[in-house]
Amino acid sequence: MLEPWKGAPDGDVGATDVDRHRRRSAAAGVEAVAVSMNRGAGQMGPVRAVNTLRRLNQADGFDCMGCAWPDPDPEHRSFAEFCENGAKAVAEEATKRRADRDFFAEHSVAELATWSDYRLGQQGRITEPMILREGGTHYEPISWEEAVGVVAETLRGLDSPDEAVFYTSGRASNEAAFTLQLFARAFGTNNLPDCSNMCHESTSVALAESIGIGKGSVTLDDVHDAEVVVIAGQNPGTNHPRMLSALEKCVRNGGRVVAVNPLPETGLMKFDNPQTVRGLTGVGTDLASEYLPIRLGGDLALFQAVGALLVERGAVDQDFVDRHTTGFESYKAHVEGLDWDAVLRATGLPREQIERLADTIAGSSRTVYCWAMGVTQHRHAVATIKEITNVALLRGDIGKPGAGLCPVRGHSNVQGDRTMGIWEKLPAHFAESLRQEFGFDPPHQRGHDVVNTIRALVEGKVRVLFGLGGNFAAATPDSEVTHEAMRSVDLGVQVSTKPNRTHMLPGRRMLVLPCLGRTEKDVTAAGWQGVTVEDSMSEVHLSVGRNEPASEHLRGEPWIICRIAEATLGTAPEGSDLDWAVMAEDYSRIRHHIGNVVPGCDAYDAKVQRPGGFTLPHPPRDTRTFDTPSGRAQIAVNPIEVLEAPEGHLLLQTLRSHDQFNTTIYGHDDRYRGLAGGRQVVMVHPDDIAALGLAEGQLYDVVSVWTDGSERVAHGYRVVSYPTARGCAAAYYPECNVLVPLDHTAEGSNCPASKSVVVRFAPHGSCERHDADADTRVKAGTDRSHRSEVEPVHLS
C-alpha cells in the first residue's frame, strides 16, 4: 500500500507547506549517494558498479542514457560526473540480470502482459533476438540472419512504403538516427515519429517560428553567469538533477532563481550537492528565491503579463527590438489592453507577485528562461513558448553571454535525433543534401508523427511498426485505444535492451532485436566503435562503451539498421555511395556522410574526436541572425486562454516520480515528494479535498471528461494531500496516459496535452467497466487497480 517515505523528516504523506519541502532536502545529498551506490551494487555488483560509474559522462567514457543536460568542459568535470537518476539508469542497463530464452520459455506473452511496467523492466537484459510467431504464445529465439530476413521480406511485401512506420527513441545515437532516417527515406516514406513529438515538439515549432531555429540559445556557462534564471514547468531535481549543480553555481555567483510551477519541488527549494562536503553535511544551497505556484496552463497569461509590465515601465531593450525583431508595435498595442482579470484567473497568482517577477526581469541584464514539459504539453503550448520568447526578445536576452532561451530536453539524444533528420516533415534543404550524397530522390510528402501514427494504426493503414528503442505503448496517449490498435499490424519490430510493455502488444508477429547499451563495447569487423550524441545545448560528443556486452548475440543499433536496410533494399547501384555493409561495420563512415548532409556538421568525424566534442552553430546565439521569412525574430501576438474546470472537477497533470525516467520505472519511492510504496496516487490540495468531499487516503476512480461526452477512467487511485495549486491535481505518467485522448493535443505541434486534463472523482468501483474494454485492459496489462503494492522481482 501507499506509505510515507520513512526517511522524511516529518514522516507524513503529502506535506502541506513549502517549508517542509525545504526541510525534506536536508538529507538529500547523503541519500542520493546512498541510493546511487545501493542501486548500482544491487544490479551490477560493487566492483562493476564502481568501474562503470567512474566512466559515466567522462570525455573518454560513455554518455549517460538519461537526460540531455550538458557536461562541463572536460578539464572541469568531477570524478563522479553523474546524478542519482543517472546512476539508476546505468544500473538498469549494466545489470547482471538476464531475460534469456529460458525466461521467455517459462512465461507466455499473455502472462507477461499482466505484469506491471516495473516488474517487466526488472527482469534484466534480453540476450538474443526473439520472435513471437503468428499464432504463438511464447517468444522464442531466432538467429540474426532469419530475423533480418523476416523484416526485409515483410517490408518488401507492403503495397506502399507508407504502410511502414519507423519510430525513434531519444536514447538512440546520432549514427543510429541518421541511418534510420536514411533507410526510411530510401525505402520511400517520411513516417519517422519520435519521442520529441510527445515532449518538446511545441518548443521546436514555437522557436522555429519566433527565432528561426527550434533549439535553445544558451550554453552551460550562460546558466552559470546569469543574473536571473526563470524555471517554468520543470522539476530538475527529479528529471534533470545535474542541472541543480549549474543553478547552485549561478546562485553562488550572485544570481537568482525563480521557480514557476504548480507544485513546490524539493530540488528547487534547496540543493544538497552530493559532490561537495557542504552538500553531504546537509548545509546545501537555497536555490529559488521566489516560488510562483501557478495554476495549470497559466504560463501564457503570466509571461504576457510580464511583457505588458515591461512595456508599461519602459524596460524594453529598444535598440535590440528595433534592430533584430519584427511585430513589436502590434504586440505593444495588444498588451496595452491586457485583461488583468483573465491573467489572475488563469494564473491563480496575486498581481503583486507577477509584478515582482516583472521587476526581477527588468532589473536583470542577463536572464535565462528555462522550461520543460510543464509548458509544452498544453493545448496552447506553442503560444506559451512564444510568450516566453517575447519576454526574452523585449529584454534583448538572446545572443549575449549569461542570457537566452533554455528548453531542457528530457532524453539524452532527443535533440540529436532531430538534427540527424528524424522528422516526419522533411526540409527541402535536407532532402537535396540526401539526393546529392546518395543519388536517390527522397519522398516529399509529410509522414506521420506519433499521434497520427496511432490514428493510422486505428484505421488499419500501418502494417509494420518499427521501434528504434523506447517503449511506444507506454509513452503514447489514449492507452486503451493505442494498445488495441498496435495489435493490428502484420509485424512489430522493437530494438531494445530489456522487456517492456510494447513487447507484450504484438500484431500477427513480433520481433525483439537486442542491442548494445551505451555502457558496452561495440566491436565490429572494423574494430572498436563509438557513437555520438547531442545535448540540450547543441554540444556534440563521442560516447564509447567499456563494459563487456551482456551477451555475445547483442549488436549495435547502427549495425542492426544497416543490415536490415541492405536486406530490404539490396546493395547500392554502381557509383552510389550508399553502402550499407560498410556503414554497418564502420561507424566513421556514417559520420562521414553526416558531415556531408547535416547542416553544421562539416568535418564531423574529426570534430567529435576532440575531448568534449564540438558545438553546433546557432545563428541567434552566435550572431543575432534569424532564419525567419523576415530575417528578424518575430514578437508574436497571442490571445490569453484561461483553463477552468467545471464545478466539482479539477485540472490534472501527469508527471514523473523521483524513481523513474521517462517510461522506465526504477522503483516506487518518490522521495522528494515524501511518497513511497505505490504509484496509484493522485495529489490534491487539502482545500480541494475538503471542497470536493473526498477522504484523504481513500481509493477513487479518476475520470477524465471531454466535450464530446466521452469519458476515460483510471481505476483505484489513492487521494493524498499535497500543496499543488488550488484547482489542480497531479498523478504519475505513464499510468495516467489512459486519461488523455488522441485529439487532446497542442495546437500547431500535435503534442499530447497531458498537463491539462479535466477530471472528476468517483467512488472506486462505481465506474462500470464494459467487458470488451476490461478484456483489452487485462490483455494489454494496463489495468493496475489491483497492483498498488511493489511487486516481486522475477530473477531468471
Side-chain angles (χ1 to χ4, degrees):
M1 65 179 181
L2 191 74
E3 298 175 349
W5 171 49
K6 297 302 190 295
D10 41 49
D12 65 342
V13 174
T16 56
D17 62 87
V18 174
D19 286 338
R20 286 182 181 174
H21 285 260
R22 293 184 185 274
R23 295 200 303 273
R24 183 168 288 133
S25 69
V30 175
E31 188 78 11
V33 173
V35 169
S36 298
M37 297 314 299
N38 288 342
R39 292 286 177 91
Q43 294 254 22
M44 297 182 278
V47 175
R48 182 178 172 89
V50 171
N51 288 338
T52 302
L53 290 173
R54 70 182 179 85
R55 298 187 181 107
L56 179 55
N57 293 322
Q58 300 299 331
D60 61 347
F62 63 92
D63 192 72
C64 182
M65 62 290 295
C67 79
W69 190 252
D71 303 318
D73 293 334
E75 60 270 23
H76 295 136
R77 293 182 195 178
S78 68
F79 174 79
E81 191 60 56
F82 58 86
C83 66
E84 176 186 336
N85 266 14
K88 291 176 183 176
V90 169
E92 292 278 317
E93 179 180 291
T95 180
K96 291 184 175 181
R97 299 171 184 173
R98 299 290 182 261
D100 56 17
R101 61 171 60 190
D102 292 337
F103 167 79
F104 285 106
E106 180 181 354
H107 303 285
S108 69
V109 173
E111 178 195 346
L112 294 174
T114 67
W115 289 17
S116 68
D117 295 302
Y118 170 72
R119 187 178 180 187
L120 284 173
Q122 291 303 303
Q123 303 317 307
R125 296 291 298 278
I126 302 168
T127 58
E128 60 187 315
M130 305 297 293
I131 186 170
L132 182 69
R133 301 187 186 275
E134 186 170 3
T137 59
H138 290 67
Y139 276 104
E140 57 187 71
I142 184 174
S143 69
W144 275 109
E145 182 179 6
E146 185 184 354
V148 168
V150 168
V151 182
E153 181 182 9
T154 306
L155 288 172
R156 290 197 303 266
L158 298 178
D159 296 329
S160 164
D162 287 327
E163 291 181 326
V165 170
F166 300 86
Y167 172 76
T168 312
S169 159
R171 178 197 168 282
S173 67
N174 282 341
E175 290 76 6
F178 183 83
T179 51
L180 185 70
Q181 65 82 30
L182 179 62
F183 172 34
R185 287 170 173 139
F187 181 64
T189 185
N190 283 317
N191 287 343
L192 286 159
D194 74 328
C195 60
S196 175
N197 296 150
M198 294 179 285
C199 55
H200 268 287
E201 195 64 48
S202 299
T203 294
S204 299
V205 171
L207 292 187
E209 294 177 1
S210 293
I211 65 172
I213 183 171
K215 300 181 180 182
S217 67
V218 300
T219 66
L220 190 55
D221 284 341
D222 290 329
V223 178
H224 297 159
D225 297 337
E227 291 183 11
V228 173
V229 178
V230 180
I231 301 176
Q234 185 196 359
N235 175 19
T238 287
N239 299 323
H240 315 91
R242 286 196 302 146
M243 181 179 177
L244 298 180
S245 298
L247 297 177
E248 179 185 46
K249 188 168 184 178
C250 173
V251 170
R252 293 191 176 280
N253 287 341
R256 298 178 60 190
V257 175
V258 178
V260 182
N261 204 6
L263 285 73
E265 298 290 7
T266 298
L268 279 174
M269 300 297 109
K270 182 180 178 182
F271 176 46
D272 297 330
N273 190 338
Q275 296 182 354
T276 66
V277 173
R278 180 183 177 91
L280 287 173
T281 58
V283 176
T285 301
D286 288 330
L287 293 183
S289 59
E290 180 93 13
Y291 165 57
L292 285 72
I294 197 165
R295 290 184 72 253
L296 287 169
D299 303 88
L300 187 155
L302 172 66
F303 284 96
Q304 188 167 127
V306 168
L309 291 168
L310 294 175
V311 171
E312 176 186 305
R313 297 173 183 182
V316 173
D317 184 340
Q318 201 64 50
D319 180 68
F320 177 90
V321 167
D322 292 343
R323 287 174 178 266
H324 300 293
T325 74
T326 186
F328 174 70
E329 291 303 325
S330 296
Y331 173 83
K332 180 180 178 183
H334 174 70
V335 298
E336 283 176 345
L338 184 70
D339 183 347
W340 269 100
D341 179 65
V343 169
L344 300 181
R345 286 191 294 116
T347 64
L349 301 172
R351 179 165 177 166
E352 54 268 26
Q353 192 169 34
I354 298 173
E355 292 185 347
R356 278 202 306 274
L357 175 59
D359 290 339
T360 297
I361 293 174
S364 168
S365 63
R366 303 185 305 276
T367 301
V368 169
Y369 308 82
C370 304
W371 68 91
M373 285 185 283
V375 167
T376 66
Q377 291 183 326
H378 290 282
R379 290 281 289 178
H380 54 273
V382 172
T384 300
I385 296 162
K386 288 183 177 181
E387 286 296 344
I388 295 172
T389 305
N390 285 346
V391 172
L393 293 173
L394 293 177
R395 293 293 301 153
D397 278 326
I398 294 179
K400 69 180 180 183
L405 300 168
C406 183
V408 183
R409 309 279 177 171
H411 214 161
S412 61
N413 198 43
V414 64
Q415 185 159 299
D417 286 351
R418 184 60 54 87
T419 299
M420 292 296 114
I422 297 293
W423 200 19
E424 74 278 1
K425 295 177 281 190
L426 176 62
H429 67 84
F430 204 102
E432 178 59 21
S433 293
L434 288 173
R435 188 189 66 78
Q436 291 185 7
E437 181 74 0
F438 298 109
F440 71 90
D441 290 321
H444 294 284
Q445 73 276 13
R446 180 171 177 170
H448 297 320
D449 62 11
V450 165
V451 169
N452 285 331
T453 290
I454 299 169
R455 291 185 176 124
L457 284 165
V458 170
E459 294 167 2
K461 296 179 179 179
V462 175
R463 293 172 57 192
V464 174
L465 180 59
F466 184 102
L468 176 60
N471 186 356
F472 189 88
T476 46
D478 220 344
S479 304
E480 292 182 5
V481 171
T482 300
H483 292 179
E484 190 61 26
M486 290 175 66
R487 297 178 182 278
S488 67
V489 299
D490 291 345
L491 178 66
V493 183
Q494 287 294 310
V495 179
S496 304
T497 56
K498 303 176 72 176
N500 66 43
R501 178 66 47 207
T502 300
H503 304 155
M504 310 312 156
L505 292 162
R508 288 177 49 225
R509 294 170 298 167
M510 187 77 169
L511 273 169
V512 179
L513 306 179
C515 64
L516 294 164
R518 293 264 181 91
T519 61
E520 293 170 314
K521 294 178 183 178
D522 187 349
V523 181
T524 68
W528 199 337
Q529 304 297 316
V531 295
T532 55
V533 295
E534 178 186 348
D535 62 33
S536 269
M537 296 180 183
S538 303
E539 302 280 347
V540 181
H541 51 276
L542 201 63
S543 175
V544 181
R546 304 286 178 176
N547 287 352
E548 292 300 321
S551 164
E552 63 180 347
H553 301 294
L554 305 186
R555 296 292 183 269
E557 293 168 320
W559 186 96
I560 295 170
I561 296 162
C562 290
R563 289 304 182 190
I564 292 174
E566 181 182 30
T568 304
L569 303 174
T571 56
E574 187 175 347
S576 171
D577 205 18
L578 187 53
D579 194 327
W580 298 109
V582 170
M583 289 190 288
E585 303 293 344
D586 185 357
Y587 301 171
S588 69
R589 190 62 187 172
I590 302 172
R591 292 191 284 273
H592 165 77
H593 292 308
I594 290 172
N596 292 341
V597 171
V598 180
C601 289
D602 54 294
Y604 186 78
D605 192 39
K607 289 179 179 177
V608 298
Q609 304 296 334
R610 305 169 185 167
F614 74 102
T615 304
L616 287 167
H618 189 287
R621 178 196 65 210
D622 301 337
T623 59
R624 285 188 163 179
T625 53
F626 303 91
D627 186 16
T628 63
S630 67
R632 292 167 171 249
Q634 176 68 51
I635 299 178
V637 172
N638 304 290
I640 287 179
E641 295 188 23
V642 181
L643 296 181
E644 294 181 322
E647 186 176 353
H649 295 68
L650 299 176
L651 288 173
L652 176 81
Q653 66 167 326
T654 64
L655 42 67
R656 290 181 279 195
S657 83
H658 192 64
D659 224 0
Q660 75 177 100
F661 186 75
N662 291 347
T663 60
T664 302
I665 312 301
Y666 300 140
H668 295 74
D669 183 359
D670 198 352
R671 192 173 73 252
Y672 282 1
R673 296 191 181 104
L675 303 172
R679 294 177 56 83
Q680 301 291 114
V681 57
V682 57
M683 291 163 259
V684 182
H685 193 282
D687 292 346
D688 286 324
I689 292 177
L692 295 174
L694 304 176
E696 184 175 1
Q698 295 301 305
L699 294 180
Y700 294 88
D701 292 342
V702 183
V703 184
S704 66
V705 296
W706 304 97
T707 55
D708 64 359
S710 66
E711 294 185 341
R712 286 161 175 76
V713 184
H715 296 272
Y717 274 67
R718 195 178 306 278
V719 170
V720 298
S721 174
Y722 205 84
T724 185
R726 283 297 310 272
C728 302
Y732 295 130
Y733 154 101
E735 289 86 348
C736 282
N737 286 354
V738 69
L739 299 173
V740 186
L742 285 183
D743 292 335
H744 188 53
T745 61
E747 297 170 356
S749 70
N750 212 28
C751 179
S754 304
K755 296 295 188 287
S756 52
V757 179
V758 175
V759 299
R760 64 179 176 85
F761 296 86
H764 179 42
S766 65
C767 293
E768 181 181 358
R769 302 189 190 203
H770 301 291
D771 290 341
D773 291 341
D775 288 344
T776 298
R777 278 191 291 270
V778 170
K779 286 189 294 184
T782 57
D783 181 3
R784 297 183 174 82
S785 59
H786 63 290
R787 283 196 228 103
S788 59
E789 295 186 343
V790 179
E791 297 179 34
V793 176
H794 174 93
L795 299 180
S796 60

